[in-house]
Amino acid sequence: MAIQLQNTATDNAVIPVTSGVGSGVGYAQPSLEVLSCYSCNIKGGCLIEKLTIAHDHSYQLVKNKKVLAKGKHIFRGGDDTKAMYVVSRGSVKSYMLMEDGEEQVLNFYLPGDVFGLDAMGSHCHISSTVALENTTICKLPLSGLQNRVLGQGFLNMISDNMLRDHNLMLMLASKDADGRLASFLVDMFKRTGKQGHPVNAIKLTMTRQDIANYLGLAIETVSRTLRRFQDSGMLDVTQRKVKVYDFNCLLAIAGTQVVY
Amino acid sequence: MAIQLQNTATDNAVIPVTSGVGSGVGYAQPSLEVLSCYSCNIKGGCLIEKLTIAHDHSYQLVKNKKVLAKGKHIFRGGDDTKAMYVVSRGSVKSYMLMEDGEEQVLNFYLPGDVFGLDAMGSHCHISSTVALENTTICKLPLSGLQNRVLGQGFLNMISDNMLRDHNLMLMLASKDADGRLASFLVDMFKRTGKQGHPVNAIKLTMTRQDIANYLGLAIETVSRTLRRFQDSGMLDVTQRKVKVYDFNCLLAIAGTQVVY
DNA sequence: CGATTCGTTGACATGCTTCAAACTTCGTGG
DNA sequence: CCACGAAGTTTGAAGCATGTCAACGAATCG
């Protein structure tokens, strides 16, 4: 089950997985490897499958499973890849680069999350995405998506993405450092747990700088706030591992949270 | 051309327009009034038309044109209306209510903008929307949208909405009060002008409090910042009318702005 | 094992919020 | 049309949360 990574020199490349039972039935599809999803164990099942095939069986779903080494980009702003992706294992950060070189982190994606939708309407991706650890992703080309029958699953996904964004906007506009950090942690705990049951310990895969860029805070503020949380006995932070002892307290500090 | 409003006592109601040439061809549609779009002069043409009918002529587009008095809600969070709307004339504010009663303004919509998409995936609307002035809107029910052929226009629209949200996130996370106000004004000027050519004078239809809630600032900060902008000679603010004398200066203060 | 990246902690500066009060505009009813 | 009250806006003073600068410490990687 362990992922073996060949450390290629190319930074932007995705490494095709050669495992899996490729159903070699001759569909007249482009040069994309069709793979089975045996090794994919996303909670709630594969989202990609729910998206487009609901009512149009003439559309053969082409999926690419890829393994990415930590730090490798899936795509960068300006890339005309025009595909969307599902995280199968690992985690991904999406961000936009600003003139001054600062990056605004837009989101962190965990297994089951869909990303890359920003290329849906425009001719290229606007944000960039990078693997925060060794990560397996599933790719679905967006070309040919228009004028296709899109199931309710697709609309749900868009809607979820919008809600998530709105939640972040709400947080950035109205919460102080404590509220932001607490909200962030609550979110991560909830999303990490299986079917809605939060776990009590997670391992953050992003740097403090990433968290700061996401929450609109200085890295020092992130560090200090986490320490205060720890000193209060509410949780325990050891490097990137976070244990909660009083989740309700964390919820209280987080304040208003939009329901998912 | 002037809109005549009957001041009904109901707050949440939408007032059906009885003008226009309703093409009375007997489509077996629900009790929604089918109206022509003669009186609609949105720049770039009607967006609703571009969305779903591109490749599926079997789907009869049902549209409702409504006139709303200032302060009337189009929908509220929790409403299961499940429709999306286009602003034909006037302006609309969308917001989410927080536990403490504070409202987070998510967006302002001007003629041509589409809103109400948050109900697409869920069973009801999550945000609320209210007319900032006497406003004409066009309504398209979302029920029956799933499993429909969606044109590229629909995907473009979603994508635009996402980009707009990301832009706001970027602003809230990384800009100071000056940058936020300048960005906001630049955005409003650009969106008000015809086909991308900014005008040099606009009338803000929202209160200072709305702007503050949108930008994540205190109302006093909004007021003071506008005054400093005015004192610098860059622009002139008289109540809600804003004239720019040095748009480039405003752009410079706004800093990084995501291209639309 | 050294170098680099990442994280923590302290001192200080400042931009924003909060509180308070006056002023202006708007809406409604006399 | 004016008067009055409510709502919206402006301005000042003071407090504080967060950013900035700087230095040290810890972890990771080759």
Side-chain angles (χ1 to χ4, degrees), chain B residues 70 176-178 216-218 220-221 224 228 239:
Chain B
K70 174 180 177 179
D176 60 8
D178 285 26
L217 298 170
E220 295 94 333
T221 305
R224 270 186 268 262
R228 270 192 299 104
Q239 295 158 214

Side-chain angles (χ1 to χ4, degrees), chain B residues 5-20:
Chain B
L5 285 170
Q6 53 267 57
N7 289 322
T8 57
T10 56
D11 174 51
N12 217 358
V14 280
I15 309 156
V17 175
T18 50
S19 70

Side-chain angles (χ1 to χ4, degrees), chain A:
Chain A
M1 271 299 186
I3 306 168
Q4 293 298 326
L5 286 171
Q6 53 267 51
N7 289 323
T8 57
T10 56
D11 173 52
N12 219 357
V14 281
I15 309 156
V17 175
T18 51
S19 70
V21 185
S23 69
V25 188
Y27 289 99
Q29 290 293 347
S31 60
L32 295 172
E33 203 172 352
V34 181
L35 298 171
S36 78
C37 293
Y38 283 159
S39 58
C40 182
N41 53 351
I42 289 177
K43 59 177 175 180
C46 178
L47 282 175
I48 291 277
E49 284 185 350
K50 297 179 184 172
L51 300 182
T52 60
I53 58 175
H55 290 75
D56 184 1
H57 297 290
S58 68
Y59 184 48
Q60 173 61 25
L61 199 59
V62 179
K63 291 190 287 189
N64 286 309
K65 203 155 202 178
K66 318 254 182 181
V67 175
L68 289 163
K70 175 180 177 178
K72 301 291 180 192
H73 274 78
I74 295 98
F75 57 82
R76 291 173 192 273
D79 284 0
D80 57 353
T81 328
K82 295 211 61 166
M84 63 180 182
Y85 306 83
V86 182
V87 180
S88 175
R89 254 192 301 210
S91 52
V92 168
K93 167 183 82 172
S94 74
Y95 66 94
M96 285 170 61
L97 227 44
M98 301 177 67
E99 288 170 350
D100 56 8
E102 286 294 294
E103 68 179 41
Q104 170 59 33
V105 174
L106 298 173
N107 221 327
F108 300 111
Y109 298 103
L110 303 181
D113 291 336
V114 180
F115 65 95
L117 289 165
D118 63 338
M120 201 167 47
S122 55
H123 65 287
C124 64
H125 285 285
I126 289 147
S127 60
S128 303
T129 49
V130 62
L132 292 171
E133 58 191 317
N134 296 338
T135 297
T136 309
I137 59 171
C138 209
K139 175 181 177 179
L140 173 65
L142 279 171
S143 60
L145 188 66
Q146 71 276 35
N147 307 328
R148 289 277 163 201
V149 169
L150 302 176
Q152 182 64 37
F154 188 80
L155 300 180
N156 286 346
M157 190 187 60
I158 304 278
S159 206
D160 286 351
N161 266 271
M162 283 178 49
L163 182 56
R164 179 168 296 281
D165 285 349
H166 289 174
N167 211 20
L168 180 58
M169 287 156 57
L170 195 138
M171 187 164 78
L172 292 173
S174 60
K175 292 183 183 176
D176 61 8
D178 285 27
R180 293 184 200 187
L181 248 306
S183 293
F184 168 71
L185 290 175
V186 164
D187 187 45
M188 293 305 285
F189 273 105
K190 280 186 174 173
R191 289 166 64 192
T192 303
K194 309 291 180 187
Q195 50 252 25
H197 291 60
V199 294
N200 60 3
I202 57 174
K203 183 174 187 303
L204 303 174
T205 55
M206 67 292 292
T207 66
R208 297 281 193 274
Q209 186 66 64
D210 285 337
I211 299 174
N213 287 341
Y214 178 60
L215 298 177
L217 298 170
I219 182 175
E220 295 93 333
T221 306
V222 172
S223 191
R224 270 186 268 263
T225 305
L226 286 177
R227 165 141 289 277
R228 271 191 299 102
F229 283 179
Q230 176 165 337
D231 290 346
S232 78
M234 180 174 56
L235 48 75
D236 190 78
V237 184
T238 309
Q239 295 155 215
R240 296 191 182 176
K241 284 187 273 290
V242 183
K243 265 187 221 165
V244 266
Y245 300 122
D246 191 346
F247 195 74
N248 286 330
C249 182
L250 201 61
L251 278 171
I253 296 175
T256 306
Q257 182 110 357
V258 180
V259 276
Y260 285 104

Side-chain angles (χ1 to χ4, degrees), chain B residues 97-108:
Chain B
L97 227 44
M98 301 177 67
E99 289 170 349
D100 55 8
E102 286 295 293
E103 67 178 43
Q104 170 59 32
V105 173
L106 298 174
N107 221 328
F108 300 111

